[in-house]
Every structure is written in structure tokens, then in C-alpha cells.
Amino acid sequence: MEIAPETSEDWWEVEALLDLCFGPGRTALSSYRLRDGVDPVPALCLVARDGGAIAGAIRTWPCAVGTRPALLLGPVAVHPTRQGEGLGAQLIGAVLSIAPTRVILVGDEPYYRRFGFRRLHGVEMPPPTNPGRVLGVGDWTGVTGPVTRATTD
Ligand SMILES: CC(C)(COP(=O)(O)OP(=O)(O)OC[C@H]1O[C@@H](n2cnc3c(N)ncnc32)[C@H](O)[C@@H]1OP(=O)(O)O)[C@@H](O)C(=O)NCCC(=O)NCCS
């Protein structure tokens, strides 16, 4: 398994994997509104390949929470034929090992708590988002407010 930063040639293959794992309606999710018109963080977007075939991918975007910067982790997806082999953990671990502090995501706490993610209180994702799925890891002391798109220069 080779894990490497995503390149522009990988883009559509990763999109196809995300459609497969989440369904093509995934871009209607409110978390996608935080990504519209914002470039992802290249060093924190990774693709895993096994003999050339894509096995998993993770992307990360900048965002803001209140007035403070944060990273929005995800989407993360592992091909259905490769799930349960630890690849998701490898991809998430790789990003967290180089991400600056304060990472947020929308996801299942029973999965993400093994990486240190806990429910965030006082942090509001764009509606409609189940508050119980708004999770964070890192230094969230005193950081509250709406999650908004990172401003671009
Ligand atoms: C979620 C996902 C990224 C995990 O990747 P993976 O490579 O299959 O996961 P790992 O091999 O690292 O971990 C497997 C473990 O996570 C558990 N797990 C997987 N998804 C879970 C979930 N949604 N909730 C709770 N536990 C989950 C498995 O039961 C397994 O548990 P075990 O270690 O006790 O056997 C992958 O299953 C996937 O792409 N799913 C479809 C898309 C998706 O739902 N993405 C993110 C959800 S917010």
C-alpha cells in the first residue's frame, strides 16, 4: 500500500471513490458548503493505492470557528473491498500527525473517538447538522461559534 499526497491526476478517481462510499448526493451535505470555493490543504490530502488501484483517500480543508482557524477533516473514504483493514486509521493518523492543532469533523463518534475526537459544544456547523456528530481534537479551549468558510485572499 502506497500513501502519497493527492495530485491533480488523482482528483476524479477520488471523486468516484467518494461517490461510491457516500452516494452521489453527498455534495448536498452542509459540510460541503464550507468547502465551496476554498482550496484544500495539499499536504493533508492523501491517496492510498494498492498496485495502482485506489484503496482510500482523505481530504482536509481550512475553515474558521468563531474567529479562530481550524482544519476540517474529511471526507475520508476506504473502498468497500478494503474496509476494516486499518487503512482508514492509517489515513486519519497520517493527517493528524502533521496537522496543526484544532481539527474538526462531522462523523460517527464511535469511530473517531479512537483518534481522540470528542463532541464539541458551542461549535455550530451550518444546518442541518446533527450536533452529536460535530467532533474535534486538539486545543479547543475557549473556541466556540459558527463554523465558516476559510477566507481566501
Ligand atoms: C469509515 C471508514 C473511513 C473507516 O475506514 P476503515 O479502513 O474501514 O476503518 P479501519 O480499518 O481503520 O477501522 C475499522 C474499525 O472501525 C469500525 N468502524 C468503521 N466505521 C464505523 C462507524 N461508522 N462507526 C463505528 N465504528 C466504525 C469497524 O467496525 C472496525 O472496528 P474494529 O477495529 O473494532 O474491528 C470506511 O469504513 C468508509 O470509507 N466508510 C464509508 C464512508 C464513511 O462512512 N466515511 C466516514 C464516516 S463519518
Side-chain angles (χ1 to χ4, degrees):
M1 190 72 67
E2 188 194 344
I3 296 181
E6 182 181 333
T7 67
S8 52
E9 287 82 57
D10 294 322
W11 180 269
W12 289 110
E13 221 178 329
V14 173
E15 289 289 301
L17 174 69
L18 296 174
D19 283 348
L20 179 68
C21 290
F22 293 99
R26 64 188 167 87
T27 57
L29 292 172
S30 57
S31 57
Y32 275 80
R33 301 295 72 78
L34 299 170
R35 302 178 179 116
D36 288 339
V38 182
D39 289 334
V41 184
L44 302 179
C45 296
L46 306 174
V47 173
R49 289 184 180 278
D50 188 6
I54 195 162
I58 190 167
R59 286 173 172 162
T60 308
W61 263 263
C63 67
V65 180
T67 57
R68 313 283 287 279
L71 286 173
L72 178 65
L73 189 84
V76 53
V78 171
H79 194 279
T81 60
R82 305 305 304 263
Q83 290 177 7
E85 298 174 4
L87 185 53
Q90 236 182 304
L91 289 168
I92 294 162
V95 166
L96 292 181
S97 70
I98 51 173
T101 184
R102 206 175 308 129
V103 179
I104 187 170
L105 61 77
V106 180
D108 298 332
E109 210 218 353
Y111 181 63
Y112 287 105
R113 62 178 302 114
R114 70 196 70 190
F115 309 104
F117 284 91
R118 296 290 182 271
R119 184 172 169 182
L120 289 176
H121 296 276
V123 172
E124 304 131 36
M125 285 292 288
T129 303
N130 177 347
R133 290 172 56 79
V134 180
L135 313 176
V137 69
D139 183 8
W140 286 89
T141 312
V143 182
T144 56
V147 187
T148 54
R149 253 185 302 208
T151 49
T152 49
D153 297 326

